[in-house]
Amino acid sequence: MAEIKQGILGPVNGKVGTVVGATWRGINYIRAKPRKSRKKPTMKQLLQWDKMSLVSTFASKFKDFVNANCPAVHNGKKWITGKEQMISRLMTQGINLINGEQHIKVEEALLSIGNLAPAVIKKINRLKTGKFKVQWENGLINALTLNTDKLTMMLYNETLDQFVAISDVGNRVDKYAHFSLPPDWDKGTVYFWSMWKAVDGSVNSTSCFHGILELENIEEEAENREQEAENGKQTAENENQILSEVIPIEQARDISLKNFIEEVESKTEVETISPFTPPFKENQVVDQVHTAELNPTIDSEKSSNKNNNTLPHTDTSEKEGELKRWTPPGYIRKVNKEIIKQAKTAENEEQTDQMDEKLNNEPRSILEFYTITEEQKE
């Protein structure tokens, strides 16, 4: 049964037979009752479903902050919220295919949009005390910028799948400030953004992505700090000692790739590789264009291995296979669905069915020809 709240000409809510009344983004619609399709989804449809599920799951972590700091946009007859803008942006330019699976490119996530000019963040360092020190320059100034503008740091922990916004870190005039991570963030890969906001909250800046940091040895560092405090050795100098630094995402990918190559080479030298190593399937291969950009050393490695007769051919293929399975840092996938695998399985089944149908339609013996004339034509 449907309900008409504003008279006979008002919007309809509910279902009457095969007609459904609904409201979406403030607009009233009447549509036909959907029927479940019996057709198998195509590969393109499955990829789109996987992409939408991946992006919406990721954007839900930032929903409240993004809606508060990205003004809604009126597009024709509807309003688009900050979260919807974020989803649309990631769907069009924030997805990369790696190892046969779609991943979010984290630096493409825009968490705030505004007209206030940001300060230029120079460094974000983690100190020995466990706190973070952020330094900036006030080089970008316009009529909206004031010395009282407040800095907000936004952090996402990929391992814990948690987002936190730390407001009022410091004033624009200070040029540096300190902030701390949540107490339960003792591990994980952390991504950093910044945003500036007027003291009255009337205007804010567009978010800037700064880089990545891997949290390690938190418990050991805490024990060392407690021991130093008990021994009376903790001074102002070692309190400000830099332990690690937030690095740009491209630099982090280069470092990770270098470490991964060294690990693969050392592993290959120790292990005995079977000469009957099966070739890798196409769905395990990284996008070639993306691999070439991140790993310019692969071509040179291939050429050097060709001239080196001491290593068997399987050694080279094993190294290349390991490199193709490598996932660069900063590419996030939090949806545990095998949509792409299902799509490939469906494609294989369809090809098998087509082959079986083709074989069934072909004559298997001379007895299956209707006449000797057909046989001669064949």
Side-chain angles (χ1 to χ4, degrees):
M1 179 183 294
E3 181 182 3
I4 303 177
K5 295 183 178 181
Q6 300 177 11
I8 194 169
L9 298 180
V12 178
N13 258 338
K15 181 175 64 174
V16 178
T18 59
V19 178
V20 179
T23 302
W24 183 65
R25 289 181 177 175
I27 304 174
N28 303 308
Y29 291 95
I30 293 180
R31 55 180 173 80
K33 180 183 175 182
R35 292 183 299 175
K36 188 175 181 180
S37 176
R38 296 183 179 179
K39 294 182 179 179
K40 290 184 178 181
T42 63
M43 181 66 174
K44 187 175 181 180
Q45 288 175 324
L46 290 170
L47 288 173
Q48 188 69 11
W49 294 347
D50 178 73
K51 183 189 292 187
M52 190 64 197
S53 178
L54 173 65
V55 170
S56 59
T57 301
F58 178 76
S60 63
K61 304 294 185 301
F62 309 87
K63 176 183 176 181
D64 295 335
F65 184 86
V66 171
N67 285 339
N69 296 282
C70 292
V73 177
H74 190 259
N75 183 11
K77 297 181 180 180
K78 57 187 178 182
W79 288 92
I80 304 176
T81 64
K83 180 189 174 184
E84 291 169 340
Q85 295 174 51
M86 181 181 182
I87 290 176
S88 176
R89 192 177 299 108
L90 290 175
M91 289 285 287
T92 55
Q93 63 188 45
I95 298 295
N96 272 43
L97 190 66
I98 300 176
N99 299 334
E101 290 184 328
Q102 298 180 114
H103 290 68
I104 289 178
K105 196 175 182 181
V106 70
E107 63 264 35
E108 295 294 337
L110 200 61
L111 305 186
S112 67
I113 300 175
N115 298 323
L116 186 63
V120 179
I121 303 294
K122 295 170 57 179
K123 291 182 180 179
I124 304 176
N125 297 321
R126 182 161 165 258
L127 305 179
K128 193 174 182 180
T129 58
K131 290 186 176 181
F132 281 79
K133 181 179 181 181
V134 53
Q135 305 175 58
W136 62 85
E137 290 181 350
N138 295 322
L140 302 176
I141 299 175
N142 59 23
L144 296 176
T145 57
L146 298 173
N147 289 335
T148 56
D149 293 339
K150 300 287 186 179
L151 172 64
T152 299
M153 296 298 302
M154 297 89 77
L155 292 74
Y156 174 70
N157 191 318
E158 179 184 358
T159 306
L160 302 178
D161 195 20
Q162 295 178 2
F163 169 77
V164 64
I166 306 173
S167 58
D168 298 341
V169 172
N171 296 331
R172 189 186 290 265
V173 69
D174 296 334
K175 294 189 177 181
Y176 77 92
H178 296 83
F179 64 93
S180 300
L181 297 181
D184 58 336
W185 283 26
D186 57 350
K187 61 180 179 180
T189 304
V190 183
Y191 303 92
F192 293 78
W193 292 263
S194 69
M195 180 194 73
W196 292 87
K197 198 167 190 176
V199 67
D200 59 356
S202 59
V203 65
N204 59 265
S205 69
T206 300
S207 64
C208 296
F209 178 76
H210 301 293
I212 183 175
L213 180 67
E214 190 75 28
L215 299 178
E216 295 178 351
N217 302 326
I218 298 292
E219 296 179 356
E220 295 180 4
E221 294 162 9
E223 292 177 358
N224 294 335
R225 289 198 301 271
E226 292 177 0
Q227 186 175 1
E228 289 179 359
E230 291 177 358
N231 298 333
K233 295 181 180 180
Q234 191 169 5
T235 62
E237 292 182 359
N238 61 32
E239 284 180 359
N240 294 324
Q241 182 178 353
I242 296 174
L243 188 64
S244 55
E245 182 178 351
V246 176
I247 59 176
I249 191 67
E250 293 300 334
Q251 183 180 349
R253 286 170 182 152
D254 292 340
I255 295 173
S256 177
L257 177 60
K258 182 180 178 181
N259 294 337
F260 186 81
I261 292 176
E262 292 177 355
E263 182 181 351
V264 170
E265 289 179 348
S266 61
K267 182 179 178 182
T268 307
E269 291 175 359
V270 174
E271 294 180 353
T272 303
I273 303 175
S274 171
F276 302 103
T277 304
F280 290 95
K281 298 180 181 179
E282 292 182 359
N283 59 355
Q284 295 175 329
V285 178
V286 185
D287 184 23
Q288 295 180 356
V289 177
H290 180 64
T291 307
E293 292 176 356
L294 292 180
N295 189 8
T297 62
I298 290 181
D299 293 335
S300 59
E301 185 181 354
K302 288 181 182 178
S303 59
S304 61
N305 286 337
K306 287 181 181 179
N307 298 326
N308 189 357
N309 296 325
T310 59
L311 294 176
H313 178 70
T314 53
D315 186 18
T316 305
S317 63
E318 181 74 15
K319 287 183 181 180
E320 292 178 357
E322 292 288 340
L323 288 174
K324 289 172 182 178
R325 288 198 297 266
W326 172 70
T327 301
Y331 289 90
I332 298 175
R333 180 175 178 84
K334 289 295 181 181
V335 178
N336 297 322
K337 293 184 178 180
E338 299 183 352
I339 294 181
I340 300 177
K341 184 178 179 180
Q342 293 175 6
K344 291 187 176 296
T345 304
E347 282 187 345
N348 294 335
E349 290 178 354
E350 184 178 357
Q351 291 177 359
T352 304
D353 293 342
Q354 291 176 355
M355 289 296 296
D356 292 341
E357 183 179 355
K358 184 178 179 181
L359 291 173
N360 291 333
N361 292 334
E362 291 180 353
R364 289 162 293 183
S365 70
I366 192 171
L367 299 176
E368 294 188 6
F369 286 101
Y370 293 109
T371 62
I372 201 69
T373 308
E374 289 190 18
E375 181 184 2
Q376 292 175 354
K377 288 181 180 180
E378 293 290 326

